[in-house]
Amino acid sequence: MGKLEGRVAIITGGAGGIGYATAQRFIAEGAAVVIADLRADTAAIDALDGQAVFVKTDVSDMTDVERLAAEVMAQFGKIDILVNNAGITRDKSLKKMTEADFDAVISVNLKGVFNCTKVVAPFMVEAGYGRIMNTASIVGVYGNFGQTNYAAAKAGVIGMTKTWMRELGRKGITVNAVAPGFIETDMIKTIPDEVIQGMIKSTPVQRAGKPEDIANAFLFLASEEASFVNGVVLHVDGGLAY
Ligand code: NAI
């Protein structure tokens, strides 16, 4: 029997990268998966053999998120697992970063996590069970050159994780965060190669991470084995130290 047999999971940003790998992993462990993403990568979603449902969602839009939850409840009758994973970057130095760059990243990476949790948590409270996992970043812990907006959002995600684990723990819900290091997805395609090589050199295990490395961490946190793990920020970064 799979570790997530009978569970219903929403994965935001699940059409690509880390979210997609997580969808694959969760399906392999028996979960029903709802991919909530802005873009429908139909080929990728078809490759999940009809075991994932796609709901077009902009996590930064509360009305959209309410519609997502209503559709999932209508189809599955419950939401056991929420993986807040959708994210964007608009990297620039503080000098060059515009207000629009700042607002765009905050609205998806920070407010999007608030919106989804705000809407989904009441269903979990009602059921007396839930696993909420937020995708932070080591950048939210250490900061990073050119990522004022992103670091602020990810540090905020860690703050919300620690707040919600206090508020929701007594209701049977655990809330944890994963802080990925440097992971090979579309998100890092704009990073110059010399910077990538530098990152790999600074990583003790001497490689970039793969989306599956993060999916495995989400699987652990979603599983019964993690029922006493609450409020952690699990660094999955090969030991990368800034
Ligand atoms: P990705 O760009 O491959 O995937 C992000 C997904 O989010 C895309 O499918 C995109 O369509 C979706 N998305 C963007 N805006 C959205 C919105 N408003 N509503 C719904 N979906 C939206 O990126 P990746 O690398 O898989 O990132 C996943 C998460 O991991 C993000 O939160 C990112 O910040 C975080 N992360 C990634 C790292 C990396 O090195 N790749 C490092 C640390 C954290």
Side-chain angles (χ1 to χ4, degrees):
M1 200 168 115
K3 290 184 180 208
L4 303 181
E5 212 65 54
R7 298 293 181 202
V8 176
I10 295 178
I11 303 175
T12 71
I18 292 169
Y20 186 72
T22 305
Q24 288 178 306
R25 199 78 183 86
F26 280 19
I27 287 169
E29 294 292 340
V33 167
V34 178
I35 290 178
D37 203 301
L38 265 184
R39 70 186 167 104
D41 185 336
T42 31
I45 293 166
D46 285 352
L48 297 171
D49 281 341
Q51 293 183 80
V53 174
F54 173 75
V55 180
K56 189 173 179 3
T57 313
D58 178 353
V59 295
S60 68
D61 179 343
M62 185 60 114
T63 311
D64 236 26
V65 173
E66 284 166 350
R67 187 183 41 76
L68 161 71
E71 281 185 31
V72 178
M73 288 304 290
Q75 186 161 351
F76 297 99
K78 61 175 184 167
I79 304 166
D80 299 304
I81 300 166
L82 171 65
V83 184
N84 283 308
N85 167 77
I88 59 169
T89 51
R90 295 282 185 278
D91 297 352
K92 274 171 207 159
S93 64
L94 175 62
K95 192 175 169 191
K96 292 183 184 154
M97 188 172 289
T98 63
E99 187 181 1
D101 294 327
F102 187 81
D103 287 348
V105 169
I106 295 294
S107 72
V108 177
N109 298 14
L110 183 66
K111 192 180 161 215
V113 177
F114 168 77
N115 286 349
C116 293
T117 308
K118 166 89 185 152
V119 168
V120 167
F123 295 110
M124 294 178 166
V125 169
E126 181 76 26
Y129 180 89
R131 292 274 190 275
I132 298 172
M133 286 157 285
N134 299 324
T135 315
S137 167
I138 54 165
V139 167
V141 179
Y142 302 117
N144 196 22
F145 193 99
Q147 292 198 304
T148 297
N149 47 6
Y150 190 83
K154 294 302 189 181
V157 164
I158 292 171
M160 294 196 295
T161 303
K162 291 182 183 276
T163 300
W164 294 336
M165 69 101 173
R166 291 175 194 279
E167 293 187 3
L168 300 173
R170 72 192 69 178
K171 313 281 186 186
I173 301 165
T174 61
V175 188
N176 293 290
V178 172
F182 172 56
I183 313 298
E184 279 169 349
T185 68
D186 286 354
M187 188 167 269
I188 66 158
K189 276 192 175 150
T190 53
I191 300 177
D193 196 49
E194 67 268 23
V195 177
I196 292 184
Q197 292 314 319
M199 295 268 229
I200 292 173
K201 270 202 189 125
S202 314
T203 303
V205 303
Q206 294 287 292
R207 68 168 174 91
K210 297 187 184 317
E212 294 72 25
D213 293 316
I214 308 304
N216 286 331
F218 282 135
L219 173 62
F220 168 65
L221 293 172
S223 72
E224 286 315 302
E225 283 96 333
S227 62
F228 203 54
V229 180
N230 195 17
V232 301
V233 181
L234 180 58
H235 290 217
V236 183
D237 61 3
L240 175 64
Y242 274 81

mmCIF file of all heavy atoms in Angstrom, residues 73-115:
data_model
loop_
_atom_site.group_PDB
_atom_site.id
_atom_site.type_symbol
_atom_site.label_atom_id
_atom_site.label_comp_id
_atom_site.label_asym_id
_atom_site.label_seq_id
_atom_site.Cartn_x
_atom_site.Cartn_y
_atom_site.Cartn_z
ATOM 1 N N MET A 73 -13.547 20.053 -3.558
ATOM 2 C CA MET A 73 -14.514 19.492 -2.601
ATOM 3 C C MET A 73 -15.657 18.804 -3.334
ATOM 4 O O MET A 73 -16.113 17.740 -2.919
ATOM 5 C CB MET A 73 -15.041 20.593 -1.666
ATOM 6 C CG MET A 73 -14.028 21.075 -0.644
ATOM 7 S SD MET A 73 -13.347 19.760 0.398
ATOM 8 C CE MET A 73 -14.757 19.342 1.414
ATOM 9 N N ALA A 74 -16.110 19.404 -4.438
ATOM 10 C CA ALA A 74 -17.227 18.810 -5.193
ATOM 11 C C ALA A 74 -16.799 17.464 -5.790
ATOM 12 O O ALA A 74 -17.559 16.500 -5.795
ATOM 13 C CB ALA A 74 -17.677 19.764 -6.291
ATOM 14 N N GLN A 75 -15.553 17.401 -6.264
ATOM 15 C CA GLN A 75 -15.107 16.169 -6.924
ATOM 16 C C GLN A 75 -14.632 15.093 -5.949
ATOM 17 O O GLN A 75 -14.878 13.909 -6.156
ATOM 18 C CB GLN A 75 -13.989 16.500 -7.930
ATOM 19 C CG GLN A 75 -13.592 15.292 -8.738
ATOM 20 C CD GLN A 75 -12.846 15.658 -10.010
ATOM 21 O OE1 GLN A 75 -12.759 16.814 -10.396
ATOM 22 N NE2 GLN A 75 -12.284 14.650 -10.669
ATOM 23 N N PHE A 76 -13.937 15.500 -4.887
ATOM 24 C CA PHE A 76 -13.304 14.501 -4.005
ATOM 25 C C PHE A 76 -13.888 14.465 -2.588
ATOM 26 O O PHE A 76 -13.621 13.540 -1.825
ATOM 27 C CB PHE A 76 -11.798 14.751 -3.908
ATOM 28 C CG PHE A 76 -11.078 14.594 -5.216
ATOM 29 C CD1 PHE A 76 -10.741 15.705 -5.986
ATOM 30 C CD2 PHE A 76 -10.743 13.338 -5.699
ATOM 31 C CE1 PHE A 76 -10.075 15.564 -7.199
ATOM 32 C CE2 PHE A 76 -10.077 13.184 -6.905
ATOM 33 C CZ PHE A 76 -9.750 14.306 -7.663
ATOM 34 N N GLY A 77 -14.583 15.531 -2.195
ATOM 35 C CA GLY A 77 -15.212 15.551 -0.871
ATOM 36 C C GLY A 77 -14.272 15.870 0.284
ATOM 37 O O GLY A 77 -14.697 15.938 1.440
ATOM 38 N N LYS A 78 -12.990 16.067 0.005
ATOM 39 C CA LYS A 78 -12.045 16.417 1.075
ATOM 40 C C LYS A 78 -10.728 16.929 0.473
ATOM 41 O O LYS A 78 -10.463 16.720 -0.721
ATOM 42 C CB LYS A 78 -11.755 15.221 1.963
ATOM 43 C CG LYS A 78 -11.109 14.051 1.220
ATOM 44 C CD LYS A 78 -10.733 12.953 2.209
ATOM 45 C CE LYS A 78 -9.992 11.826 1.517
ATOM 46 N NZ LYS A 78 -9.346 10.917 2.439
ATOM 47 N N ILE A 79 -9.955 17.601 1.312
ATOM 48 C CA ILE A 79 -8.594 18.017 0.922
ATOM 49 C C ILE A 79 -7.697 17.644 2.102
ATOM 50 O O ILE A 79 -7.811 18.222 3.183
ATOM 51 C CB ILE A 79 -8.504 19.535 0.646
ATOM 52 C CG1 ILE A 79 -9.518 19.965 -0.430
ATOM 53 C CG2 ILE A 79 -7.066 19.911 0.216
ATOM 54 C CD1 ILE A 79 -9.731 21.472 -0.536
ATOM 55 N N ASP A 80 -6.848 16.642 1.903
ATOM 56 C CA ASP A 80 -5.981 16.181 2.995
ATOM 57 C C ASP A 80 -4.642 16.912 3.013
ATOM 58 O O ASP A 80 -4.046 17.093 4.073
ATOM 59 C CB ASP A 80 -5.677 14.677 2.836
ATOM 60 C CG ASP A 80 -6.918 13.818 2.888
ATOM 61 O OD1 ASP A 80 -7.661 13.904 3.882
ATOM 62 O OD2 ASP A 80 -7.167 13.073 1.916
ATOM 63 N N ILE A 81 -4.154 17.223 1.815
ATOM 64 C CA ILE A 81 -2.778 17.726 1.693
ATOM 65 C C ILE A 81 -2.779 18.965 0.795
ATOM 66 O O ILE A 81 -3.406 18.965 -0.270
ATOM 67 C CB ILE A 81 -1.866 16.653 1.046
ATOM 68 C CG1 ILE A 81 -1.839 15.371 1.892
ATOM 69 C CG2 ILE A 81 -0.464 17.188 0.809
ATOM 70 C CD1 ILE A 81 -1.251 14.155 1.161
ATOM 71 N N LEU A 82 -2.087 19.995 1.255
ATOM 72 C CA LEU A 82 -1.893 21.197 0.423
ATOM 73 C C LEU A 82 -0.396 21.453 0.304
ATOM 74 O O LEU A 82 0.288 21.621 1.325
ATOM 75 C CB LEU A 82 -2.573 22.413 1.077
ATOM 76 C CG LEU A 82 -2.260 23.774 0.436
ATOM 77 C CD1 LEU A 82 -2.796 23.863 -0.998
ATOM 78 C CD2 LEU A 82 -2.851 24.919 1.291
ATOM 79 N N VAL A 83 0.099 21.451 -0.923
ATOM 80 C CA VAL A 83 1.507 21.818 -1.153
ATOM 81 C C VAL A 83 1.511 23.186 -1.823
ATOM 82 O O VAL A 83 1.146 23.332 -2.995
ATOM 83 C CB VAL A 83 2.238 20.787 -2.037
ATOM 84 C CG1 VAL A 83 3.714 21.167 -2.170
ATOM 85 C CG2 VAL A 83 2.110 19.379 -1.470
ATOM 86 N N ASN A 84 1.879 24.196 -1.059
ATOM 87 C CA ASN A 84 1.986 25.560 -1.586
ATOM 88 C C ASN A 84 3.343 25.691 -2.267
ATOM 89 O O ASN A 84 4.374 25.875 -1.614
ATOM 90 C CB ASN A 84 1.876 26.568 -0.436
ATOM 91 C CG ASN A 84 0.455 26.759 0.032
ATOM 92 O OD1 ASN A 84 -0.442 27.032 -0.770
ATOM 93 N ND2 ASN A 84 0.232 26.608 1.329
ATOM 94 N N ASN A 85 3.326 25.561 -3.585
ATOM 95 C CA ASN A 85 4.585 25.466 -4.313
ATOM 96 C C ASN A 85 4.721 26.496 -5.440
ATOM 97 O O ASN A 85 5.835 26.774 -5.886
ATOM 98 C CB ASN A 85 4.692 24.034 -4.866
ATOM 99 C CG ASN A 85 5.773 23.892 -5.894
ATOM 100 O OD1 ASN A 85 6.962 23.821 -5.565
ATOM 101 N ND2 ASN A 85 5.386 23.872 -7.170
ATOM 102 N N ALA A 86 3.613 27.069 -5.918
ATOM 103 C CA ALA A 86 3.695 28.021 -7.042
ATOM 104 C C ALA A 86 4.639 29.165 -6.675
ATOM 105 O O ALA A 86 4.604 29.665 -5.548
ATOM 106 C CB ALA A 86 2.312 28.573 -7.367
ATOM 107 N N GLY A 87 5.474 29.545 -7.613
ATOM 108 C CA GLY A 87 6.403 30.635 -7.315
ATOM 109 C C GLY A 87 6.978 31.227 -8.579
ATOM 110 O O GLY A 87 7.015 30.588 -9.630
ATOM 111 N N ILE A 88 7.393 32.483 -8.475
ATOM 112 C CA ILE A 88 8.035 33.178 -9.606
ATOM 113 C C ILE A 88 9.250 33.949 -9.093
ATOM 114 O O ILE A 88 9.402 34.140 -7.878
ATOM 115 C CB ILE A 88 7.063 34.178 -10.293
ATOM 116 C CG1 ILE A 88 6.551 35.236 -9.294
ATOM 117 C CG2 ILE A 88 5.892 33.447 -10.941
ATOM 118 C CD1 ILE A 88 5.815 36.400 -9.963
ATOM 119 N N THR A 89 10.071 34.372 -10.031
ATOM 120 C CA THR A 89 11.180 35.282 -9.680
ATOM 121 C C THR A 89 11.122 36.522 -10.576
ATOM 122 O O THR A 89 10.641 36.443 -11.715
ATOM 123 C CB THR A 89 12.564 34.622 -9.890
ATOM 124 O OG1 THR A 89 12.612 34.077 -11.212
ATOM 125 C CG2 THR A 89 12.837 33.531 -8.886
ATOM 126 N N ARG A 90 11.575 37.623 -10.057
ATOM 127 C CA ARG A 90 11.804 38.861 -10.834
ATOM 128 C C ARG A 90 13.090 39.453 -10.254
ATOM 129 O O ARG A 90 13.047 40.437 -9.538
ATOM 130 C CB ARG A 90 10.658 39.870 -10.651
ATOM 131 C CG ARG A 90 9.305 39.454 -11.174
ATOM 132 C CD ARG A 90 9.192 39.597 -12.714
ATOM 133 N NE ARG A 90 7.834 39.301 -13.139
ATOM 134 C CZ ARG A 90 7.348 38.071 -13.341
ATOM 135 N NH1 ARG A 90 8.123 37.010 -13.168
ATOM 136 N NH2 ARG A 90 6.104 37.894 -13.724
ATOM 137 N N ASP A 91 14.224 38.784 -10.544
ATOM 138 C CA ASP A 91 15.477 39.147 -9.867
ATOM 139 C C ASP A 91 16.088 40.446 -10.402
ATOM 140 O O ASP A 91 16.253 40.609 -11.611
ATOM 141 C CB ASP A 91 16.517 38.023 -10.064
ATOM 142 C CG ASP A 91 16.102 36.704 -9.435
ATOM 143 O OD1 ASP A 91 15.092 36.670 -8.717
ATOM 144 O OD2 ASP A 91 16.813 35.709 -9.673
ATOM 145 N N LYS A 92 16.421 41.320 -9.494
ATOM 146 C CA LYS A 92 17.174 42.544 -9.821
ATOM 147 C C LYS A 92 17.804 43.062 -8.539
ATOM 148 O O LYS A 92 17.261 42.817 -7.452
ATOM 149 C CB LYS A 92 16.235 43.634 -10.357
ATOM 150 C CG LYS A 92 15.962 43.553 -11.858
ATOM 151 C CD LYS A 92 14.867 44.500 -12.286
ATOM 152 C CE LYS A 92 14.188 43.938 -13.525
ATOM 153 N NZ LYS A 92 12.859 44.467 -13.733
ATOM 154 N N SER A 93 18.897 43.808 -8.683
ATOM 155 C CA SER A 93 19.475 44.428 -7.488
ATOM 156 C C SER A 93 18.466 45.430 -6.923
ATOM 157 O O SER A 93 17.566 45.891 -7.644
ATOM 158 C CB SER A 93 20.767 45.148 -7.853
ATOM 159 O OG SER A 93 20.454 46.214 -8.737
ATOM 160 N N LEU A 94 18.639 45.765 -5.687
ATOM 161 C CA LEU A 94 17.730 46.737 -5.054
ATOM 162 C C LEU A 94 17.658 48.014 -5.887
ATOM 163 O O LEU A 94 16.588 48.593 -6.084
ATOM 164 C CB LEU A 94 18.233 47.050 -3.635
ATOM 165 C CG LEU A 94 17.470 48.135 -2.879
ATOM 166 C CD1 LEU A 94 16.002 47.734 -2.676
ATOM 167 C CD2 LEU A 94 18.123 48.411 -1.531
ATOM 168 N N LYS A 95 18.802 48.423 -6.408
ATOM 169 C CA LYS A 95 18.860 49.658 -7.195
ATOM 170 C C LYS A 95 17.926 49.595 -8.403
ATOM 171 O O LYS A 95 17.264 50.564 -8.743
ATOM 172 C CB LYS A 95 20.311 49.859 -7.646
ATOM 173 C CG LYS A 95 20.591 51.210 -8.210
ATOM 174 C CD LYS A 95 22.069 51.355 -8.509
ATOM 175 C CE LYS A 95 22.304 52.597 -9.321
ATOM 176 N NZ LYS A 95 23.663 52.639 -9.840
ATOM 177 N N LYS A 96 17.872 48.426 -9.050
ATOM 178 C CA LYS A 96 17.094 48.311 -10.293
ATOM 179 C C LYS A 96 15.680 47.773 -10.090
ATOM 180 O O LYS A 96 14.845 47.869 -10.988
ATOM 181 C CB LYS A 96 17.825 47.380 -11.266
ATOM 182 C CG LYS A 96 19.121 47.982 -11.767
ATOM 183 C CD LYS A 96 19.786 47.070 -12.780
ATOM 184 C CE LYS A 96 21.119 47.636 -13.192
ATOM 185 N NZ LYS A 96 22.041 46.608 -13.642
ATOM 186 N N MET A 97 15.422 47.177 -8.955
ATOM 187 C CA MET A 97 14.108 46.550 -8.747
ATOM 188 C C MET A 97 13.008 47.608 -8.677
ATOM 189 O O MET A 97 13.120 48.582 -7.943
ATOM 190 C CB MET A 97 14.122 45.718 -7.455
ATOM 191 C CG MET A 97 12.859 44.881 -7.271
ATOM 192 S SD MET A 97 13.006 43.748 -5.881
ATOM 193 C CE MET A 97 14.181 42.555 -6.515
ATOM 194 N N THR A 98 11.936 47.368 -9.456
ATOM 195 C CA THR A 98 10.825 48.317 -9.453
ATOM 196 C C THR A 98 9.775 47.874 -8.434
ATOM 197 O O THR A 98 9.773 46.723 -7.970
ATOM 198 C CB THR A 98 10.161 48.368 -10.839
ATOM 199 O OG1 THR A 98 9.606 47.075 -11.108
ATOM 200 C CG2 THR A 98 11.152 48.742 -11.932
ATOM 201 N N GLU A 99 8.862 48.781 -8.168
ATOM 202 C CA GLU A 99 7.758 48.453 -7.266
ATOM 203 C C GLU A 99 6.948 47.296 -7.865
ATOM 204 O O GLU A 99 6.486 46.403 -7.143
ATOM 205 C CB GLU A 99 6.874 49.686 -7.078
ATOM 206 C CG GLU A 99 5.811 49.493 -6.022
ATOM 207 C CD GLU A 99 4.917 50.721 -5.863
ATOM 208 O OE1 GLU A 99 5.116 51.718 -6.590
ATOM 209 O OE2 GLU A 99 4.018 50.661 -5.021
ATOM 210 N N ALA A 100 6.792 47.312 -9.204
ATOM 211 C CA ALA A 100 6.025 46.240 -9.866
ATOM 212 C C ALA A 100 6.721 44.888 -9.693
ATOM 213 O O ALA A 100 6.063 43.864 -9.486
ATOM 214 C CB ALA A 100 5.840 46.563 -11.344
ATOM 215 N N ASP A 101 8.072 44.867 -9.770
ATOM 216 C CA ASP A 101 8.822 43.614 -9.553
ATOM 217 C C ASP A 101 8.572 43.101 -8.138
ATOM 218 O O ASP A 101 8.399 41.904 -7.912
ATOM 219 C CB ASP A 101 10.344 43.839 -9.689
ATOM 220 C CG ASP A 101 10.773 44.215 -11.095
ATOM 221 O OD1 ASP A 101 10.147 43.732 -12.065
ATOM 222 O OD2 ASP A 101 11.740 44.999 -11.226
ATOM 223 N N PHE A 102 8.598 44.023 -7.202
ATOM 224 C CA PHE A 102 8.403 43.635 -5.797
ATOM 225 C C PHE A 102 6.993 43.077 -5.595
ATOM 226 O O PHE A 102 6.807 41.980 -5.059
ATOM 227 C CB PHE A 102 8.644 44.848 -4.878
ATOM 228 C CG PHE A 102 8.616 44.490 -3.422
ATOM 229 C CD1 PHE A 102 9.727 43.942 -2.807
ATOM 230 C CD2 PHE A 102 7.463 44.676 -2.663
ATOM 231 C CE1 PHE A 102 9.701 43.587 -1.460
ATOM 232 C CE2 PHE A 102 7.424 44.325 -1.323
ATOM 233 C CZ PHE A 102 8.551 43.784 -0.723
ATOM 234 N N ASP A 103 6.011 43.819 -6.088
ATOM 235 C CA ASP A 103 4.612 43.417 -5.878
ATOM 236 C C ASP A 103 4.294 42.079 -6.548
ATOM 237 O O ASP A 103 3.554 41.262 -5.990
ATOM 238 C CB ASP A 103 3.656 44.495 -6.419
ATOM 239 C CG ASP A 103 3.638 45.737 -5.541
ATOM 240 O OD1 ASP A 103 4.173 45.677 -4.420
ATOM 241 O OD2 ASP A 103 3.093 46.772 -5.982
ATOM 242 N N ALA A 104 4.839 41.851 -7.746
ATOM 243 C CA ALA A 104 4.532 40.611 -8.486
ATOM 244 C C ALA A 104 4.980 39.397 -7.681
ATOM 245 O O ALA A 104 4.228 38.420 -7.525
ATOM 246 C CB ALA A 104 5.216 40.622 -9.855
ATOM 247 N N VAL A 105 6.188 39.446 -7.158
ATOM 248 C CA VAL A 105 6.725 38.290 -6.425
ATOM 249 C C VAL A 105 6.006 38.110 -5.085
ATOM 250 O O VAL A 105 5.670 36.987 -4.699
ATOM 251 C CB VAL A 105 8.266 38.425 -6.263
ATOM 252 C CG1 VAL A 105 8.800 37.386 -5.289
ATOM 253 C CG2 VAL A 105 8.927 38.267 -7.632
ATOM 254 N N ILE A 106 5.735 39.205 -4.417
ATOM 255 C CA ILE A 106 5.016 39.100 -3.140
ATOM 256 C C ILE A 106 3.614 38.528 -3.374
ATOM 257 O O ILE A 106 3.126 37.693 -2.603
ATOM 258 C CB ILE A 106 4.931 40.485 -2.436
ATOM 259 C CG1 ILE A 106 6.334 40.972 -2.042
ATOM 260 C CG2 ILE A 106 3.994 40.441 -1.226
ATOM 261 C CD1 ILE A 106 7.055 40.168 -0.999
ATOM 262 N N SER A 107 2.965 38.939 -4.458
ATOM 263 C CA SER A 107 1.569 38.508 -4.636
ATOM 264 C C SER A 107 1.466 37.017 -4.944
ATOM 265 O O SER A 107 0.511 36.367 -4.521
ATOM 266 C CB SER A 107 0.844 39.353 -5.678
ATOM 267 O OG SER A 107 1.332 39.028 -6.941
ATOM 268 N N VAL A 108 2.439 36.447 -5.637
ATOM 269 C CA VAL A 108 2.390 34.998 -5.912
ATOM 270 C C VAL A 108 3.038 34.220 -4.759
ATOM 271 O O VAL A 108 2.424 33.307 -4.186
ATOM 272 C CB VAL A 108 3.114 34.661 -7.241
ATOM 273 C CG1 VAL A 108 3.119 33.145 -7.473
ATOM 274 C CG2 VAL A 108 2.447 35.376 -8.413
ATOM 275 N N ASN A 109 4.274 34.566 -4.411
ATOM 276 C CA ASN A 109 5.061 33.723 -3.495
ATOM 277 C C ASN A 109 4.665 33.870 -2.025
ATOM 278 O O ASN A 109 4.915 32.969 -1.228
ATOM 279 C CB ASN A 109 6.555 34.056 -3.628
ATOM 280 C CG ASN A 109 7.105 33.770 -5.017
ATOM 281 O OD1 ASN A 109 6.350 33.569 -5.971
ATOM 282 N ND2 ASN A 109 8.414 33.761 -5.155
ATOM 283 N N LEU A 110 4.085 35.006 -1.676
ATOM 284 C CA LEU A 110 3.694 35.207 -0.272
ATOM 285 C C LEU A 110 2.166 35.208 -0.132
ATOM 286 O O LEU A 110 1.587 34.369 0.558
ATOM 287 C CB LEU A 110 4.281 36.514 0.266
ATOM 288 C CG LEU A 110 3.992 36.783 1.748
ATOM 289 C CD1 LEU A 110 4.684 35.772 2.649
ATOM 290 C CD2 LEU A 110 4.438 38.194 2.142
ATOM 291 N N LYS A 111 1.501 36.109 -0.861
ATOM 292 C CA LYS A 111 0.045 36.195 -0.735
ATOM 293 C C LYS A 111 -0.619 34.929 -1.280
ATOM 294 O O LYS A 111 -1.640 34.478 -0.743
ATOM 295 C CB LYS A 111 -0.474 37.432 -1.466
ATOM 296 C CG LYS A 111 -1.916 37.731 -1.138
ATOM 297 C CD LYS A 111 -2.426 38.953 -1.869
ATOM 298 C CE LYS A 111 -3.944 38.942 -1.881
ATOM 299 N NZ LYS A 111 -4.516 39.496 -3.095
ATOM 300 N N GLY A 112 -0.032 34.335 -2.317
ATOM 301 C CA GLY A 112 -0.586 33.094 -2.866
ATOM 302 C C GLY A 112 -0.624 31.988 -1.816
ATOM 303 O O GLY A 112 -1.575 31.206 -1.748
ATOM 304 N N VAL A 113 0.405 31.926 -0.990
ATOM 305 C CA VAL A 113 0.462 30.908 0.074
ATOM 306 C C VAL A 113 -0.602 31.215 1.142
ATOM 307 O O VAL A 113 -1.291 30.321 1.639
ATOM 308 C CB VAL A 113 1.885 30.857 0.692
ATOM 309 C CG1 VAL A 113 1.940 29.869 1.853
ATOM 310 C CG2 VAL A 113 2.903 30.491 -0.387
ATOM 311 N N PHE A 114 -0.747 32.494 1.446
ATOM 312 C CA PHE A 114 -1.812 32.906 2.383
ATOM 313 C C PHE A 114 -3.182 32.532 1.819
ATOM 314 O O PHE A 114 -4.003 31.908 2.508
ATOM 315 C CB PHE A 114 -1.739 34.422 2.634
ATOM 316 C CG PHE A 114 -2.954 34.967 3.340
ATOM 317 C CD1 PHE A 114 -3.135 34.800 4.706
ATOM 318 C CD2 PHE A 114 -3.958 35.634 2.617
ATOM 319 C CE1 PHE A 114 -4.277 35.273 5.354
ATOM 320 C CE2 PHE A 114 -5.099 36.115 3.259
ATOM 321 C CZ PHE A 114 -5.260 35.941 4.628
ATOM 322 N N ASN A 115 -3.436 32.912 0.561
ATOM 323 C CA ASN A 115 -4.758 32.664 -0.042
ATOM 324 C C ASN A 115 -5.129 31.182 0.026
ATOM 325 O O ASN A 115 -6.231 30.821 0.449
ATOM 326 C CB ASN A 115 -4.761 33.088 -1.526
ATOM 327 C CG ASN A 115 -4.783 34.597 -1.702
ATOM 328 O OD1 ASN A 115 -4.993 35.342 -0.750
ATOM 329 N ND2 ASN A 115 -4.554 35.051 -2.925
#
